[in-house]
Amino acid sequence: MSKNAVTYFLMGIMFILPYAVLATGIPAFSVFWAEEFNKELFELLYNITFVLSFIVAFVELATAIVGIILSVIAYKKEEIKRFPIVRVIYFILCQGLYSAGTFILTFLTVHAFTYGMGI
């Protein structure tokens, strides 16, 4: 597998990864608003969602670092002929944006519409 294919794969992972928090965030939201509130299940999903969001942010940071390194190596070895700098900029700028998106999704799906509604 070439460095080109790996960087595209990492770019795709970084794009999709923030939505992983919805896997536990939406069930937590559903349990909170169910007719029969199950506090233990909600607390479990609530905590898992926050832990998952930190794991996702860490993985986003790791993929960004690996992507920058691979992009620079591919540029030095002239494997990337067109727009090599755009990939480096993608990994630098989008890592922050996607991490912010992860925390916004976590905040909106879990905290704002569950415990935050009680304020």
Side-chain angles (χ1 to χ4, degrees):
M1 186 179 272
S2 72
K3 289 176 189 66
N4 249 354
V6 173
T7 54
Y8 282 127
F9 180 71
L10 291 175
M11 290 166 90
I13 287 175
M14 282 181 66
F15 181 74
I16 294 170
L17 205 53
Y19 300 103
V21 298
L22 297 178
T24 56
I26 291 175
F29 175 80
S30 300
V31 168
F32 184 82
W33 290 101
E35 284 186 28
E36 294 183 23
F37 177 62
N38 185 343
K39 184 170 176 66
E40 294 80 24
L41 179 60
F42 172 72
E43 290 290 332
L44 177 68
L45 290 170
Y46 184 83
N47 293 330
I48 289 173
T49 303
F50 277 100
V51 169
L52 183 63
S53 70
F54 285 109
I55 291 170
V56 166
F58 177 75
V59 171
E60 287 169 346
L61 178 64
T63 55
I65 291 170
V66 170
I68 290 169
I69 292 169
L70 288 177
S71 296
V72 169
I73 290 172
Y75 177 68
K76 293 283 186 188
K77 293 186 177 184
E78 297 180 4
E79 291 179 22
I80 301 174
K81 301 266 191 239
R82 298 174 29 177
F83 309 114
I85 303 303
V86 173
R87 290 188 194 169
V88 175
I89 292 171
Y90 175 87
F91 283 111
I92 291 171
L93 292 179
C94 290
Q95 191 277 326
L97 293 173
Y98 291 148
S99 292
T102 299
F103 289 113
I104 288 170
L105 284 172
T106 302
F107 179 75
L108 288 179
T109 58
V110 180
H111 187 70
F113 292 112
T114 56
Y115 283 140
M117 296 298 283
I119 297 176

